[in-house]
Amino acid sequence: MIEFKNVTKVYTTGTEAVHDATFSIDKGEFAFLVGSSGSGKSTLIKLILKEEEANSGNIIINGKDITYLKPKRVPYLRRSMGVVFQDFRLLPDKTVYENVAFAMYIVKSTPKHIRRRVPDVLAQVGLTEKAKMYPNELSGGEQQRVALARALVNNPSMIIADEPTGNLDPNTAWDIMNLLTDINARGTTVVMATHAKDIVKTMKKRVIQIEKGNIVRDDK
């Protein structure tokens, strides 16, 4: 599903963000990426999303080596991924329904398919009654649920979540974690970068720890 083979990333400043990283995440797995600020975990996420290029090594996603993927093919790679960020990144001038539908519009889904799929995924994240509301009318937890619905709507093989509970209070954070657990139980691979030690400890999922660019722990 996701495989790193001796991957190194050095920024133009000379900072080595990832050094010789080797690990693989299997289909259907739930894996946490942990580490202190500046440890390299966000760079790992960006390498998976092809937002950054590795200086050496190989990255394989869904059985395809994306290391030298041409820029015009990157959008097709990302269609296999649903991405959730700490700051939600919703479109403020669109309703909940429209924010989720927009992700389907981008990949040229038919209007009929959009009308069928969006209500289903809103129900999955418990937002059926919020469909006509705008982001500024929602709580932080509800906005993150919209972001999750948007990530799910195109049936991705994996969810990549970068600090998805970082802006949420503890109770709301656990609501989001329960949703991610449910999504994972349905067969979707989940990779989550986080600082939340209590969540990692309680969930008892795989933990990949990176410090100063090096993978220092990989507990299954």
Side-chain angles (χ1 to χ4, degrees), residues 59-107:
I59 302 171
I60 294 99
I61 305 288
N62 291 328
K64 295 182 179 179
D65 192 326
I66 68 161
T67 313
Y68 305 106
L69 193 68
K70 293 179 180 178
K72 67 180 181 180
R73 302 301 303 173
V74 172
Y76 296 97
L77 165 71
R78 291 179 183 161
R79 288 183 187 183
S80 68
M81 307 172 183
V83 188
V84 183
F85 299 98
Q86 179 175 346
D87 56 356
F88 318 137
R89 302 193 187 183
L90 303 178
L91 300 168
D93 59 340
K94 293 188 181 295
T95 65
V96 168
Y97 181 99
E98 290 166 343
N99 263 279
V100 178
F102 189 70
M104 298 187 72
Y105 174 79
I106 290 294
V107 299

mmCIF file of all heavy atoms in Angstrom, residues 59-107:
data_model
loop_
_atom_site.group_PDB
_atom_site.id
_atom_site.type_symbol
_atom_site.label_atom_id
_atom_site.label_comp_id
_atom_site.label_asym_id
_atom_site.label_seq_id
_atom_site.Cartn_x
_atom_site.Cartn_y
_atom_site.Cartn_z
ATOM 1 N N ILE A 59 9.672 5.462 -3.348
ATOM 2 C CA ILE A 59 8.381 5.471 -2.670
ATOM 3 C C ILE A 59 7.377 4.754 -3.561
ATOM 4 O O ILE A 59 7.197 5.134 -4.725
ATOM 5 C CB ILE A 59 7.907 6.904 -2.375
ATOM 6 C CG1 ILE A 59 8.947 7.633 -1.511
ATOM 7 C CG2 ILE A 59 6.531 6.893 -1.682
ATOM 8 C CD1 ILE A 59 8.669 9.121 -1.336
ATOM 9 N N ILE A 60 6.754 3.723 -3.021
ATOM 10 C CA ILE A 60 5.781 2.925 -3.782
ATOM 11 C C ILE A 60 4.411 3.091 -3.137
ATOM 12 O O ILE A 60 4.254 2.890 -1.929
ATOM 13 C CB ILE A 60 6.178 1.434 -3.818
ATOM 14 C CG1 ILE A 60 7.482 1.248 -4.612
ATOM 15 C CG2 ILE A 60 5.088 0.589 -4.464
ATOM 16 C CD1 ILE A 60 8.710 1.114 -3.790
ATOM 17 N N ILE A 61 3.435 3.497 -3.927
ATOM 18 C CA ILE A 61 2.060 3.667 -3.460
ATOM 19 C C ILE A 61 1.152 2.772 -4.291
ATOM 20 O O ILE A 61 1.154 2.853 -5.521
ATOM 21 C CB ILE A 61 1.582 5.138 -3.590
ATOM 22 C CG1 ILE A 61 2.534 6.096 -2.865
ATOM 23 C CG2 ILE A 61 0.138 5.282 -3.082
ATOM 24 C CD1 ILE A 61 2.489 6.052 -1.377
ATOM 25 N N ASN A 62 0.383 1.932 -3.628
ATOM 26 C CA ASN A 62 -0.530 1.019 -4.327
ATOM 27 C C ASN A 62 0.179 0.232 -5.436
ATOM 28 O O ASN A 62 -0.351 0.053 -6.533
ATOM 29 C CB ASN A 62 -1.723 1.790 -4.919
ATOM 30 C CG ASN A 62 -2.654 2.313 -3.831
ATOM 31 O OD1 ASN A 62 -2.801 1.696 -2.784
ATOM 32 N ND2 ASN A 62 -3.278 3.452 -4.087
ATOM 33 N N GLY A 63 1.391 -0.204 -5.120
ATOM 34 C CA GLY A 63 2.129 -1.047 -6.050
ATOM 35 C C GLY A 63 2.849 -0.312 -7.164
ATOM 36 O O GLY A 63 3.513 -0.942 -7.998
ATOM 37 N N LYS A 64 2.774 1.032 -7.192
ATOM 38 C CA LYS A 64 3.430 1.800 -8.247
ATOM 39 C C LYS A 64 4.510 2.703 -7.643
ATOM 40 O O LYS A 64 4.272 3.392 -6.658
ATOM 41 C CB LYS A 64 2.399 2.657 -9.001
ATOM 42 C CG LYS A 64 1.373 1.824 -9.761
ATOM 43 C CD LYS A 64 0.404 2.718 -10.526
ATOM 44 C CE LYS A 64 -0.605 1.876 -11.303
ATOM 45 N NZ LYS A 64 -1.576 2.714 -12.049
ATOM 46 N N ASP A 65 5.670 2.669 -8.272
ATOM 47 C CA ASP A 65 6.777 3.520 -7.833
ATOM 48 C C ASP A 65 6.488 4.954 -8.282
ATOM 49 O O ASP A 65 6.447 5.251 -9.471
ATOM 50 C CB ASP A 65 8.087 3.029 -8.442
ATOM 51 C CG ASP A 65 9.311 3.676 -7.801
ATOM 52 O OD1 ASP A 65 9.214 4.853 -7.418
ATOM 53 O OD2 ASP A 65 10.345 2.999 -7.674
ATOM 54 N N ILE A 66 6.253 5.840 -7.301
ATOM 55 C CA ILE A 66 5.901 7.230 -7.626
ATOM 56 C C ILE A 66 7.107 8.166 -7.539
ATOM 57 O O ILE A 66 6.962 9.380 -7.706
ATOM 58 C CB ILE A 66 4.783 7.754 -6.708
ATOM 59 C CG1 ILE A 66 5.291 7.900 -5.265
ATOM 60 C CG2 ILE A 66 3.547 6.857 -6.774
ATOM 61 C CD1 ILE A 66 4.444 8.817 -4.406
ATOM 62 N N THR A 67 8.279 7.614 -7.292
ATOM 63 C CA THR A 67 9.463 8.436 -7.070
ATOM 64 C C THR A 67 9.701 9.411 -8.213
ATOM 65 O O THR A 67 10.024 10.583 -7.993
ATOM 66 C CB THR A 67 10.708 7.542 -6.887
ATOM 67 O OG1 THR A 67 10.410 6.494 -5.966
ATOM 68 C CG2 THR A 67 11.874 8.366 -6.340
ATOM 69 N N TYR A 68 9.517 8.940 -9.445
ATOM 70 C CA TYR A 68 9.778 9.795 -10.611
ATOM 71 C C TYR A 68 8.489 10.056 -11.398
ATOM 72 O O TYR A 68 8.520 10.241 -12.610
ATOM 73 C CB TYR A 68 10.844 9.146 -11.503
ATOM 74 C CG TYR A 68 12.111 8.829 -10.746
ATOM 75 C CD1 TYR A 68 12.443 7.518 -10.405
ATOM 76 C CD2 TYR A 68 12.962 9.860 -10.328
ATOM 77 C CE1 TYR A 68 13.597 7.237 -9.683
ATOM 78 C CE2 TYR A 68 14.118 9.577 -9.608
ATOM 79 C CZ TYR A 68 14.427 8.267 -9.293
ATOM 80 O OH TYR A 68 15.560 7.991 -8.564
ATOM 81 N N LEU A 69 7.380 10.075 -10.678
ATOM 82 C CA LEU A 69 6.085 10.311 -11.317
ATOM 83 C C LEU A 69 6.047 11.699 -11.958
ATOM 84 O O LEU A 69 6.434 12.697 -11.346
ATOM 85 C CB LEU A 69 4.980 10.194 -10.271
ATOM 86 C CG LEU A 69 3.539 10.102 -10.767
ATOM 87 C CD1 LEU A 69 3.307 8.786 -11.495
ATOM 88 C CD2 LEU A 69 2.577 10.219 -9.582
ATOM 89 N N LYS A 70 5.572 11.771 -13.179
ATOM 90 C CA LYS A 70 5.488 13.054 -13.873
ATOM 91 C C LYS A 70 4.416 13.930 -13.211
ATOM 92 O O LYS A 70 3.390 13.430 -12.758
ATOM 93 C CB LYS A 70 5.144 12.831 -15.344
ATOM 94 C CG LYS A 70 6.250 12.132 -16.128
ATOM 95 C CD LYS A 70 5.853 11.919 -17.575
ATOM 96 C CE LYS A 70 6.975 11.230 -18.342
ATOM 97 N NZ LYS A 70 6.596 10.964 -19.760
ATOM 98 N N PRO A 71 4.646 15.235 -13.160
ATOM 99 C CA PRO A 71 3.702 16.141 -12.492
ATOM 100 C C PRO A 71 2.257 15.998 -12.968
ATOM 101 O O PRO A 71 1.333 16.086 -12.160
ATOM 102 C CB PRO A 71 4.261 17.532 -12.827
ATOM 103 C CG PRO A 71 5.728 17.313 -12.993
ATOM 104 C CD PRO A 71 5.852 15.956 -13.633
ATOM 105 N N LYS A 72 2.068 15.740 -14.252
ATOM 106 C CA LYS A 72 0.696 15.641 -14.765
ATOM 107 C C LYS A 72 -0.027 14.394 -14.266
ATOM 108 O O LYS A 72 -1.251 14.302 -14.357
ATOM 109 C CB LYS A 72 0.703 15.667 -16.300
ATOM 110 C CG LYS A 72 1.341 14.461 -16.966
ATOM 111 C CD LYS A 72 1.282 14.597 -18.479
ATOM 112 C CE LYS A 72 1.893 13.391 -19.184
ATOM 113 N NZ LYS A 72 1.848 13.518 -20.659
ATOM 114 N N ARG A 73 0.744 13.419 -13.718
ATOM 115 C CA ARG A 73 0.133 12.194 -13.189
ATOM 116 C C ARG A 73 -0.170 12.291 -11.696
ATOM 117 O O ARG A 73 -0.874 11.441 -11.149
ATOM 118 C CB ARG A 73 1.065 10.989 -13.415
ATOM 119 C CG ARG A 73 1.441 10.722 -14.861
ATOM 120 C CD ARG A 73 0.235 10.460 -15.734
ATOM 121 N NE ARG A 73 -0.583 9.342 -15.261
ATOM 122 C CZ ARG A 73 -1.749 9.009 -15.770
ATOM 123 N NH1 ARG A 73 -2.259 9.711 -16.772
ATOM 124 N NH2 ARG A 73 -2.425 7.969 -15.290
ATOM 125 N N VAL A 74 0.347 13.326 -11.040
ATOM 126 C CA VAL A 74 0.162 13.460 -9.581
ATOM 127 C C VAL A 74 -1.312 13.554 -9.179
ATOM 128 O O VAL A 74 -1.734 12.915 -8.210
ATOM 129 C CB VAL A 74 0.979 14.660 -9.042
ATOM 130 C CG1 VAL A 74 0.634 14.937 -7.579
ATOM 131 C CG2 VAL A 74 2.474 14.369 -9.184
ATOM 132 N N PRO A 75 -2.154 14.343 -9.896
ATOM 133 C CA PRO A 75 -3.572 14.386 -9.513
ATOM 134 C C PRO A 75 -4.244 13.013 -9.527
ATOM 135 O O PRO A 75 -5.120 12.737 -8.695
ATOM 136 C CB PRO A 75 -4.193 15.310 -10.560
ATOM 137 C CG PRO A 75 -3.065 16.181 -11.007
ATOM 138 C CD PRO A 75 -1.870 15.283 -10.995
ATOM 139 N N TYR A 76 -3.827 12.144 -10.437
ATOM 140 C CA TYR A 76 -4.416 10.798 -10.502
ATOM 141 C C TYR A 76 -3.961 9.956 -9.302
ATOM 142 O O TYR A 76 -4.729 9.165 -8.764
ATOM 143 C CB TYR A 76 -4.035 10.124 -11.815
ATOM 144 C CG TYR A 76 -4.604 10.839 -13.017
ATOM 145 C CD1 TYR A 76 -3.842 11.751 -13.736
ATOM 146 C CD2 TYR A 76 -5.922 10.622 -13.418
ATOM 147 C CE1 TYR A 76 -4.364 12.424 -14.828
ATOM 148 C CE2 TYR A 76 -6.460 11.286 -14.505
ATOM 149 C CZ TYR A 76 -5.677 12.192 -15.208
ATOM 150 O OH TYR A 76 -6.213 12.868 -16.274
ATOM 151 N N LEU A 77 -2.705 10.147 -8.883
ATOM 152 C CA LEU A 77 -2.218 9.478 -7.673
ATOM 153 C C LEU A 77 -3.055 9.892 -6.470
ATOM 154 O O LEU A 77 -3.496 9.052 -5.677
ATOM 155 C CB LEU A 77 -0.748 9.844 -7.429
ATOM 156 C CG LEU A 77 -0.195 9.517 -6.026
ATOM 157 C CD1 LEU A 77 -0.036 8.011 -5.858
ATOM 158 C CD2 LEU A 77 1.126 10.250 -5.790
ATOM 159 N N ARG A 78 -3.309 11.189 -6.354
ATOM 160 C CA ARG A 78 -4.010 11.716 -5.183
ATOM 161 C C ARG A 78 -5.473 11.303 -5.140
ATOM 162 O O ARG A 78 -6.096 11.380 -4.084
ATOM 163 C CB ARG A 78 -3.866 13.235 -5.135
ATOM 164 C CG ARG A 78 -2.427 13.663 -4.829
ATOM 165 C CD ARG A 78 -2.271 15.151 -4.800
ATOM 166 N NE ARG A 78 -0.867 15.519 -4.579
ATOM 167 C CZ ARG A 78 -0.366 16.711 -4.870
ATOM 168 N NH1 ARG A 78 -1.137 17.657 -5.377
ATOM 169 N NH2 ARG A 78 0.912 16.967 -4.644
ATOM 170 N N ARG A 79 -6.010 10.866 -6.255
ATOM 171 C CA ARG A 79 -7.400 10.393 -6.243
ATOM 172 C C ARG A 79 -7.570 9.121 -5.412
ATOM 173 O O ARG A 79 -8.672 8.796 -5.000
ATOM 174 C CB ARG A 79 -7.894 10.155 -7.674
ATOM 175 C CG ARG A 79 -8.123 11.433 -8.451
ATOM 176 C CD ARG A 79 -8.668 11.165 -9.832
ATOM 177 N NE ARG A 79 -8.726 12.398 -10.614
ATOM 178 C CZ ARG A 79 -9.212 12.482 -11.853
ATOM 179 N NH1 ARG A 79 -9.670 11.381 -12.434
ATOM 180 N NH2 ARG A 79 -9.227 13.633 -12.495
ATOM 181 N N SER A 80 -6.461 8.418 -5.178
ATOM 182 C CA SER A 80 -6.531 7.204 -4.366
ATOM 183 C C SER A 80 -6.432 7.522 -2.882
ATOM 184 O O SER A 80 -6.488 6.624 -2.051
ATOM 185 C CB SER A 80 -5.405 6.239 -4.754
ATOM 186 O OG SER A 80 -4.140 6.769 -4.381
ATOM 187 N N MET A 81 -6.284 8.817 -2.561
ATOM 188 C CA MET A 81 -6.070 9.242 -1.178
ATOM 189 C C MET A 81 -7.133 10.251 -0.754
ATOM 190 O O MET A 81 -7.518 11.123 -1.532
ATOM 191 C CB MET A 81 -4.698 9.922 -1.035
ATOM 192 C CG MET A 81 -3.526 9.122 -1.543
ATOM 193 S SD MET A 81 -2.038 10.140 -1.510
ATOM 194 C CE MET A 81 -0.844 8.994 -2.238
ATOM 195 N N GLY A 82 -7.580 10.126 0.483
ATOM 196 C CA GLY A 82 -8.368 11.182 1.098
ATOM 197 C C GLY A 82 -7.487 11.857 2.113
ATOM 198 O O GLY A 82 -6.796 11.182 2.887
ATOM 199 N N VAL A 83 -7.462 13.195 2.113
ATOM 200 C CA VAL A 83 -6.532 13.924 2.975
ATOM 201 C C VAL A 83 -7.298 14.809 3.952
ATOM 202 O O VAL A 83 -8.230 15.514 3.561
ATOM 203 C CB VAL A 83 -5.552 14.777 2.135
ATOM 204 C CG1 VAL A 83 -4.472 15.373 3.027
ATOM 205 C CG2 VAL A 83 -4.911 13.939 1.030
ATOM 206 N N VAL A 84 -6.897 14.761 5.221
ATOM 207 C CA VAL A 84 -7.519 15.562 6.271
ATOM 208 C C VAL A 84 -6.422 16.358 6.982
ATOM 209 O O VAL A 84 -5.406 15.793 7.385
ATOM 210 C CB VAL A 84 -8.254 14.673 7.300
ATOM 211 C CG1 VAL A 84 -8.955 15.532 8.349
ATOM 212 C CG2 VAL A 84 -9.262 13.770 6.608
ATOM 213 N N PHE A 85 -6.653 17.667 7.125
ATOM 214 C CA PHE A 85 -5.652 18.542 7.729
ATOM 215 C C PHE A 85 -6.124 19.077 9.081
ATOM 216 O O PHE A 85 -7.313 19.071 9.385
ATOM 217 C CB PHE A 85 -5.352 19.723 6.805
ATOM 218 C CG PHE A 85 -4.797 19.336 5.466
ATOM 219 C CD1 PHE A 85 -5.620 19.259 4.350
ATOM 220 C CD2 PHE A 85 -3.450 19.037 5.314
ATOM 221 C CE1 PHE A 85 -5.110 18.907 3.111
ATOM 222 C CE2 PHE A 85 -2.930 18.678 4.074
ATOM 223 C CZ PHE A 85 -3.765 18.610 2.969
ATOM 224 N N GLN A 86 -5.175 19.605 9.852
ATOM 225 C CA GLN A 86 -5.488 20.172 11.162
ATOM 226 C C GLN A 86 -6.432 21.369 11.037
ATOM 227 O O GLN A 86 -7.307 21.568 11.875
ATOM 228 C CB GLN A 86 -4.187 20.608 11.843
ATOM 229 C CG GLN A 86 -4.362 21.238 13.213
ATOM 230 C CD GLN A 86 -3.037 21.539 13.890
ATOM 231 O OE1 GLN A 86 -1.998 21.059 13.468
ATOM 232 N NE2 GLN A 86 -3.067 22.345 14.927
ATOM 233 N N ASP A 87 -6.255 22.172 9.971
ATOM 234 C CA ASP A 87 -7.021 23.413 9.835
ATOM 235 C C ASP A 87 -8.229 23.281 8.899
ATOM 236 O O ASP A 87 -8.742 24.272 8.389
ATOM 237 C CB ASP A 87 -6.103 24.550 9.368
ATOM 238 C CG ASP A 87 -5.377 24.221 8.065
ATOM 239 O OD1 ASP A 87 -5.530 23.087 7.564
ATOM 240 O OD2 ASP A 87 -4.658 25.093 7.545
ATOM 241 N N PHE A 88 -8.687 22.065 8.667
ATOM 242 C CA PHE A 88 -9.937 21.745 7.964
ATOM 243 C C PHE A 88 -9.896 22.061 6.458
ATOM 244 O O PHE A 88 -10.308 21.253 5.647
ATOM 245 C CB PHE A 88 -11.154 22.446 8.606
ATOM 246 C CG PHE A 88 -11.172 22.441 10.102
ATOM 247 C CD1 PHE A 88 -11.516 23.583 10.806
ATOM 248 C CD2 PHE A 88 -10.836 21.307 10.831
ATOM 249 C CE1 PHE A 88 -11.529 23.604 12.203
ATOM 250 C CE2 PHE A 88 -10.845 21.301 12.220
ATOM 251 C CZ PHE A 88 -11.193 22.457 12.894
ATOM 252 N N ARG A 89 -9.498 23.289 6.101
ATOM 253 C CA ARG A 89 -9.374 23.712 4.697
ATOM 254 C C ARG A 89 -10.690 23.573 3.925
ATOM 255 O O ARG A 89 -10.718 23.091 2.782
ATOM 256 C CB ARG A 89 -8.244 22.956 3.994
ATOM 257 C CG ARG A 89 -6.903 23.160 4.682
ATOM 258 C CD ARG A 89 -5.725 22.704 3.854
ATOM 259 N NE ARG A 89 -4.501 22.780 4.633
ATOM 260 C CZ ARG A 89 -3.295 22.496 4.155
ATOM 261 N NH1 ARG A 89 -3.150 22.112 2.901
ATOM 262 N NH2 ARG A 89 -2.237 22.583 4.928
ATOM 263 N N LEU A 90 -11.763 24.022 4.533
ATOM 264 C CA LEU A 90 -13.062 24.026 3.868
ATOM 265 C C LEU A 90 -13.221 25.314 3.054
ATOM 266 O O LEU A 90 -12.593 26.327 3.340
ATOM 267 C CB LEU A 90 -14.192 23.917 4.897
ATOM 268 C CG LEU A 90 -14.144 22.691 5.816
ATOM 269 C CD1 LEU A 90 -15.292 22.737 6.805
ATOM 270 C CD2 LEU A 90 -14.191 21.406 5.009
ATOM 271 N N LEU A 91 -14.093 25.268 2.053
ATOM 272 C CA LEU A 91 -14.392 26.445 1.244
ATOM 273 C C LEU A 91 -15.468 27.250 1.976
ATOM 274 O O LEU A 91 -16.593 26.777 2.133
ATOM 275 C CB LEU A 91 -14.864 26.022 -0.145
ATOM 276 C CG LEU A 91 -13.848 25.193 -0.939
ATOM 277 C CD1 LEU A 91 -14.486 24.578 -2.167
ATOM 278 C CD2 LEU A 91 -12.658 26.049 -1.331
ATOM 279 N N PRO A 92 -15.139 28.459 2.449
ATOM 280 C CA PRO A 92 -16.057 29.196 3.321
ATOM 281 C C PRO A 92 -17.362 29.628 2.664
ATOM 282 O O PRO A 92 -18.366 29.828 3.351
ATOM 283 C CB PRO A 92 -15.231 30.416 3.758
ATOM 284 C CG PRO A 92 -14.199 30.585 2.689
ATOM 285 C CD PRO A 92 -13.881 29.203 2.206
ATOM 286 N N ASP A 93 -17.343 29.769 1.330
ATOM 287 C CA ASP A 93 -18.547 30.247 0.634
ATOM 288 C C ASP A 93 -19.426 29.103 0.132
ATOM 289 O O ASP A 93 -20.377 29.328 -0.614
ATOM 290 C CB ASP A 93 -18.149 31.146 -0.542
ATOM 291 C CG ASP A 93 -17.261 30.433 -1.554
ATOM 292 O OD1 ASP A 93 -16.642 29.404 -1.188
ATOM 293 O OD2 ASP A 93 -17.174 30.895 -2.708
ATOM 294 N N LYS A 94 -19.105 27.871 0.526
ATOM 295 C CA LYS A 94 -19.901 26.719 0.117
ATOM 296 C C LYS A 94 -20.490 26.026 1.349
ATOM 297 O O LYS A 94 -19.863 26.004 2.411
ATOM 298 C CB LYS A 94 -19.064 25.730 -0.687
ATOM 299 C CG LYS A 94 -18.605 26.272 -2.046
ATOM 300 C CD LYS A 94 -17.945 25.194 -2.876
ATOM 301 C CE LYS A 94 -17.463 25.747 -4.210
ATOM 302 N NZ LYS A 94 -18.581 26.194 -5.053
ATOM 303 N N THR A 95 -21.684 25.469 1.198
ATOM 304 C CA THR A 95 -22.314 24.740 2.296
ATOM 305 C C THR A 95 -21.584 23.425 2.555
ATOM 306 O O THR A 95 -20.701 23.022 1.789
ATOM 307 C CB THR A 95 -23.777 24.427 1.963
ATOM 308 O OG1 THR A 95 -23.812 23.522 0.844
ATOM 309 C CG2 THR A 95 -24.577 25.686 1.646
ATOM 310 N N VAL A 96 -21.979 22.768 3.625
ATOM 311 C CA VAL A 96 -21.433 21.449 3.936
ATOM 312 C C VAL A 96 -21.600 20.520 2.740
ATOM 313 O O VAL A 96 -20.644 19.861 2.299
ATOM 314 C CB VAL A 96 -22.132 20.867 5.186
ATOM 315 C CG1 VAL A 96 -21.811 19.383 5.356
ATOM 316 C CG2 VAL A 96 -21.733 21.657 6.437
ATOM 317 N N TYR A 97 -22.805 20.452 2.213
ATOM 318 C CA TYR A 97 -23.078 19.597 1.049
ATOM 319 C C TYR A 97 -22.164 19.980 -0.112
ATOM 320 O O TYR A 97 -21.552 19.107 -0.751
ATOM 321 C CB TYR A 97 -24.543 19.723 0.639
ATOM 322 C CG TYR A 97 -24.941 18.863 -0.540
ATOM 323 C CD1 TYR A 97 -25.586 17.646 -0.351
ATOM 324 C CD2 TYR A 97 -24.665 19.258 -1.859
ATOM 325 C CE1 TYR A 97 -25.943 16.843 -1.429
ATOM 326 C CE2 TYR A 97 -25.014 18.468 -2.939
ATOM 327 C CZ TYR A 97 -25.656 17.260 -2.717
ATOM 328 O OH TYR A 97 -25.998 16.476 -3.793
ATOM 329 N N GLU A 98 -22.064 21.275 -0.398
ATOM 330 C CA GLU A 98 -21.285 21.735 -1.555
ATOM 331 C C GLU A 98 -19.791 21.478 -1.370
ATOM 332 O O GLU A 98 -19.090 21.179 -2.343
ATOM 333 C CB GLU A 98 -21.555 23.222 -1.783
ATOM 334 C CG GLU A 98 -22.961 23.508 -2.293
ATOM 335 C CD GLU A 98 -23.341 24.981 -2.201
ATOM 336 O OE1 GLU A 98 -22.661 25.737 -1.466
ATOM 337 O OE2 GLU A 98 -24.328 25.371 -2.853
ATOM 338 N N ASN A 99 -19.285 21.605 -0.131
ATOM 339 C CA ASN A 99 -17.875 21.310 0.118
ATOM 340 C C ASN A 99 -17.547 19.862 -0.209
ATOM 341 O O ASN A 99 -16.506 19.565 -0.815
ATOM 342 C CB ASN A 99 -17.531 21.591 1.587
ATOM 343 C CG ASN A 99 -16.900 22.953 1.802
ATOM 344 O OD1 ASN A 99 -15.710 23.150 1.587
ATOM 345 N ND2 ASN A 99 -17.728 23.917 2.213
ATOM 346 N N VAL A 100 -18.430 18.953 0.186
ATOM 347 C CA VAL A 100 -18.199 17.529 -0.073
ATOM 348 C C VAL A 100 -18.405 17.213 -1.558
ATOM 349 O O VAL A 100 -17.609 16.495 -2.170
ATOM 350 C CB VAL A 100 -19.113 16.668 0.809
ATOM 351 C CG1 VAL A 100 -18.906 15.184 0.516
ATOM 352 C CG2 VAL A 100 -18.838 16.948 2.292
ATOM 353 N N ALA A 101 -19.463 17.785 -2.128
ATOM 354 C CA ALA A 101 -19.754 17.545 -3.543
ATOM 355 C C ALA A 101 -18.632 18.052 -4.445
ATOM 356 O O ALA A 101 -18.358 17.472 -5.507
ATOM 357 C CB ALA A 101 -21.078 18.212 -3.922
ATOM 358 N N PHE A 102 -17.970 19.135 -4.019
ATOM 359 C CA PHE A 102 -16.912 19.739 -4.837
ATOM 360 C C PHE A 102 -15.783 18.749 -5.091
ATOM 361 O O PHE A 102 -15.191 18.728 -6.183
ATOM 362 C CB PHE A 102 -16.379 20.995 -4.147
ATOM 363 C CG PHE A 102 -15.449 21.812 -5.007
ATOM 364 C CD1 PHE A 102 -15.934 22.505 -6.098
ATOM 365 C CD2 PHE A 102 -14.093 21.876 -4.722
ATOM 366 C CE1 PHE A 102 -15.082 23.254 -6.903
ATOM 367 C CE2 PHE A 102 -13.237 22.614 -5.515
ATOM 368 C CZ PHE A 102 -13.725 23.314 -6.607
ATOM 369 N N ALA A 103 -15.485 17.906 -4.093
ATOM 370 C CA ALA A 103 -14.429 16.896 -4.263
ATOM 371 C C ALA A 103 -14.802 15.908 -5.366
ATOM 372 O O ALA A 103 -13.928 15.385 -6.063
ATOM 373 C CB ALA A 103 -14.193 16.163 -2.954
ATOM 374 N N MET A 104 -16.093 15.641 -5.525
ATOM 375 C CA MET A 104 -16.543 14.742 -6.595
ATOM 376 C C MET A 104 -16.579 15.463 -7.933
ATOM 377 O O MET A 104 -16.268 14.877 -8.982
ATOM 378 C CB MET A 104 -17.932 14.187 -6.258
ATOM 379 C CG MET A 104 -17.988 13.350 -4.998
ATOM 380 S SD MET A 104 -19.588 12.552 -4.752
ATOM 381 C CE MET A 104 -19.535 11.272 -6.043
ATOM 382 N N TYR A 105 -16.941 16.728 -7.897
ATOM 383 C CA TYR A 105 -16.972 17.535 -9.127
ATOM 384 C C TYR A 105 -15.586 17.611 -9.755
ATOM 385 O O TYR A 105 -15.426 17.510 -10.970
ATOM 386 C CB TYR A 105 -17.496 18.933 -8.789
ATOM 387 C CG TYR A 105 -17.446 19.918 -9.942
ATOM 388 C CD1 TYR A 105 -18.411 19.892 -10.951
ATOM 389 C CD2 TYR A 105 -16.423 20.868 -10.023
ATOM 390 C CE1 TYR A 105 -18.352 20.786 -12.016
ATOM 391 C CE2 TYR A 105 -16.352 21.768 -11.069
ATOM 392 C CZ TYR A 105 -17.319 21.725 -12.064
ATOM 393 O OH TYR A 105 -17.259 22.612 -13.111
ATOM 394 N N ILE A 106 -14.555 17.760 -8.907
ATOM 395 C CA ILE A 106 -13.177 17.874 -9.379
ATOM 396 C C ILE A 106 -12.755 16.642 -10.184
ATOM 397 O O ILE A 106 -12.004 16.748 -11.158
ATOM 398 C CB ILE A 106 -12.215 18.084 -8.180
ATOM 399 C CG1 ILE A 106 -12.411 19.476 -7.577
ATOM 400 C CG2 ILE A 106 -10.769 17.873 -8.581
ATOM 401 C CD1 ILE A 106 -12.020 20.617 -8.475
ATOM 402 N N VAL A 107 -13.236 15.452 -9.773
ATOM 403 C CA VAL A 107 -12.853 14.226 -10.473
ATOM 404 C C VAL A 107 -13.879 13.837 -11.535
ATOM 405 O O VAL A 107 -13.884 12.721 -12.031
ATOM 406 C CB VAL A 107 -12.615 13.059 -9.488
ATOM 407 C CG1 VAL A 107 -11.490 13.395 -8.524
ATOM 408 C CG2 VAL A 107 -13.886 12.703 -8.729
#
